[in-house]
């Protein structure tokens, strides 16, 4: 599946280079797209900023919140005779109520948290749901911000330091992010010329508590994180504990 990530990075790099862009705003909303767009921005090293397409809201089924993960599990329950076909269909129709990336802390939402922590998107925007009206105002603000970056001459490799990557790993393990983040963070670091390896993940994870009760292992979805303060709340908590640079 990583081949698709490389194609995304290559195509954006090619188009932006051919058009001689002065700056770049990338928009993505699924697993390989998020790191792919950022890899391209790092390679080009022109003033750049990222917009996340946003998470989906949780669905409702039999009085509880559900998401795509519940459908996967329900297929097994149906096969074992623990759920009727009518219930399975009702769940399938309810689990994904609108636009957005998968609701739990799967790869897309994980990488949105990582990219916000790295400093490559506006603070507080990783957790905003796709259908929330704030996406319009934050996207406009992102466009203004890339012009400020251009004016100040700030480029991705100025932002993406070793300490920024260590902060991103800390946020990832604290929120219980997807293990795919290891693949993508290492790829981003390589593009940025930052020495990072699996030992860094091991070192940081051993001293960082898991404080995010997020699906698939926990109870909550990305929209829940947004309601209580999003990534800024996570980072504030980690900062107060002395775990961030």
């Amino acid at each position: 599946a990583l081949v698709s990530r490389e194609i995304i990075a290559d195509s954006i790099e090619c188009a932006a280079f051919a058009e001689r862009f002065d700056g770049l705003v990338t928009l993505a909303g699924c697993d390989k797209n998020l790191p792919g767009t950022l890899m391209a921005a790092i390679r080009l090293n022109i003033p750049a900023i990222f917009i996340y397409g946003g998470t989906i809201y949780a669905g409702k089924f039999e009085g509880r919140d559900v998401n795509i993960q519940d459908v996967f599990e329900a297929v097994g329950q149906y096969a074992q005779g623990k759920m009727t076909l009518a219930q399975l269909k009702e769940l399938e129709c309810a689990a994904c109520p609108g636009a957005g990336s998968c609701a739990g802390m799967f790869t897309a939402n994980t990488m949105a948290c990582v990219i916000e922590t790295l400093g490559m998107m506006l603070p507080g925007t990783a957790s905003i749901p796709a259908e929330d009206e704030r996406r319009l105002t934050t996207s406009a603000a992102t466009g203004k911000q890339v012009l400020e970056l251009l004016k100040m001459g700030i480029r991705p490799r100025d932002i993406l330091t070793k300490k920024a990557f260590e902060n991103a790993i800390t946020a990832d393990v604290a929120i219980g992010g997807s293990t795919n983040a290891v693949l993508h963070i290492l790829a981003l670091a390589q593009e940025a010329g930052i020495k990072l390896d699996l030992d860094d993940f091991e070192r940081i994870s051993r001293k960082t508590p898991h404080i995010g009760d997020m699906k698939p292992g926990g109870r909550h979805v990305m929209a829940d994180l947004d309601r209580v303060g999003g990534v800024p709340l996570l980072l504030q908590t980690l900062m107060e504990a002395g775990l961030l640079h």
Side-chain angles (χ1 to χ4, degrees):
L2 289 179
V3 173
S4 62
R5 184 192 70 186
E6 306 306 311
I7 293 170
I8 292 162
D10 291 347
S11 61
I12 294 173
E13 180 190 15
C14 180
F17 183 82
E19 297 290 348
R20 312 308 298 163
F21 287 167
D22 298 309
L24 186 68
V25 177
T26 61
L27 170 67
C30 201
D31 295 7
K32 308 304 181 297
N33 302 359
L34 277 81
T37 61
L38 202 59
M39 288 166 66
I42 299 168
R43 288 181 197 170
L44 292 159
N45 203 35
I46 57 177
I49 193 165
F50 175 75
I51 300 176
Y52 183 35
T55 186
I56 193 172
Y57 286 112
K60 288 286 186 184
F61 174 71
E62 295 183 347
R64 60 187 175 91
D65 287 348
V66 292
N67 69 95
I68 189 72
Q69 173 195 351
D70 296 283
V71 180
F72 297 153
E73 294 174 357
V75 171
Q77 291 173 327
Y78 170 69
Q80 294 178 357
K82 297 179 180 179
M83 176 180 277
T84 67
L85 184 60
Q87 285 177 308
L88 176 58
K89 183 177 180 180
E90 182 184 350
L91 173 58
E92 286 179 334
C93 293
C96 297
S101 302
C102 296
M105 194 51 63
F106 306 119
T107 305
N109 284 332
T110 297
M111 289 309 299
C113 293
V114 164
I115 294 170
E116 182 175 324
T117 305
L118 284 170
M120 288 297 295
M121 61 192 296
L122 292 184
T125 58
S127 62
I128 301 174
E131 296 183 297
D132 191 302
E133 290 184 355
R134 287 174 293 162
R135 284 249 157 250
L136 298 175
T137 55
T138 56
S139 295
T142 298
K144 293 178 180 178
Q145 184 62 24
V146 78
L147 297 178
E148 288 299 312
L149 294 172
L150 184 60
K151 189 184 301 180
M152 294 184 287
I154 297 175
R155 300 167 183 263
R157 293 180 197 173
D158 300 323
I159 297 169
L160 298 172
T161 63
K162 178 69 177 281
K163 289 181 178 180
F165 278 102
E166 290 183 338
N167 283 347
I169 296 170
T170 302
D172 171 41
V173 296
I175 202 69
S178 165
T179 52
N180 283 333
V182 177
L183 298 171
H184 298 320
I185 291 173
L186 288 174
L188 295 173
Q190 179 168 309
E191 297 289 356
I194 301 296
K195 181 173 171 49
L196 201 69
D197 56 36
L198 286 174
D199 291 337
D200 292 300
F201 286 84
E202 179 71 12
R203 169 176 56 83
I204 293 170
S205 65
R206 284 188 176 275
K207 68 176 184 178
T208 305
H210 176 202
I211 60 175
D213 186 17
M214 307 289 290
K215 289 180 179 292
R219 294 174 294 170
H220 301 291
V221 295
M222 189 70 152
D224 297 324
L225 178 64
D226 183 65
R227 277 192 285 271
V228 298
V231 174
L233 176 65
L234 171 68
L235 299 184
Q236 179 185 358
T237 305
L238 293 170
M239 182 68 79
E240 291 172 354
L243 294 169
L244 290 182
H245 296 298

